[in-house]
Amino acid sequence: MLDIIYKTVTNPLIIIDIILIITYIIVAPYIKDIIGWFGEHWVKKELKKLPKDKYKIINDIMISVDNKTYQIDHIVFSNYGIFVIETKQYNGYFTGSKYDKKWVRHSGSKKYYYTNPIRQNYGHVKAICEFLNLEETKVFNIVCIPSRAKLNIEHDGELTRNYNIADKIYSFKDEIIDNPDMYYQKIKESNITSKKVRIEHNENIKKNIKKFDEKMCPKCGGKLVERSSDYGLFIGCSNYPKCKYTEKINPNDL
């Protein structure tokens, strides 16, 4: 018996498997953040190609507007406008539009729902406009997808890939901002670097996403609403009769 155990624990393949399993257990909770980091890294690399005498860049910005914090991946300042950039590292086949609250990732017959980054980043654009007291026509919403995700998304030019991000910015040729350095300095000086504030911001986002998802139909993504029948109250999908998803109401929640 001891001989079998010895051969097992000294087998190089088994040792490698054990190391991989342990590594996965340790790394798994951070995989999403790691993948996101790579996406932002590739975008930063492309943005560095912009001429420094015409464009100034700040990465990973957090500002507070009306007691609400906003975390933005990248902002580019120039005479041609201010570009607010959100990076999303997606994989798979996505459908949706710039106006949808959620985009759909299709995996066979299954559907998974993701917060629409164009809408999300539009909130960042509005915050920057208010913070800098600028018209919306001078601040541009750009969502960059570095991955090879297949996107069937209706939009008005907000979406781009990392290898096209510089050309996307170059396409804006009208000089509409007189002193972009002033706005660059204001954002730079107001950037919140406190780890505590940033952790609280991320925790609040997760809570809001969870709260929103709880109101969504897990079958089609429609809105869940309270309904009644001869048997009492229940939760049903707003897309009924196309979607017949229902769930019972917990009496303790009434």
Side-chain angles (χ1 to χ4, degrees), residues 215-233:
K215 297 179 181 178
M216 288 182 60
C217 173
K219 190 174 181 181
C220 73
K223 186 178 179 181
L224 292 179
V225 295
E226 187 177 291
R227 297 185 182 278
S228 62
S229 70
D230 294 338
Y231 301 98
L233 294 174

Side-chain angles (χ1 to χ4, degrees), residues 149-164:
K150 295 180 180 178
L151 305 172
N152 184 7
I153 305 294
E154 296 178 13
H155 62 96
D156 295 318
E158 293 89 352
L159 282 181
T160 189
R161 301 285 188 171
N162 62 306
Y163 46 80
N164 286 330

Side-chain angles (χ1 to χ4, degrees), residues 6-37:
Y6 176 78
K7 289 181 179 180
T8 300
V9 297
T10 56
N11 186 319
L13 294 177
I14 293 177
I15 292 174
I16 291 173
D17 286 341
I18 293 173
I19 293 173
L20 289 174
I21 291 170
I22 294 173
T23 302
Y24 177 79
I25 292 172
I26 295 172
V27 174
Y30 308 100
I31 286 178
K32 185 177 180 181
D33 291 336
I34 292 170
I35 293 173
W37 180 89

Side-chain angles (χ1 to χ4, degrees), residues 102-129:
K102 293 280 184 175
W103 285 357
V104 183
R105 180 169 69 85
H106 302 264
S107 180
S109 60
K110 295 182 179 180
K111 295 180 181 179
Y112 302 89
Y113 298 89
Y114 291 71
T115 299
N116 176 355
I118 296 179
R119 281 176 60 106
Q120 176 188 356
N121 203 43
Y122 178 64
H124 297 163
V125 169
K126 295 281 285 184
I128 291 295
C129 289

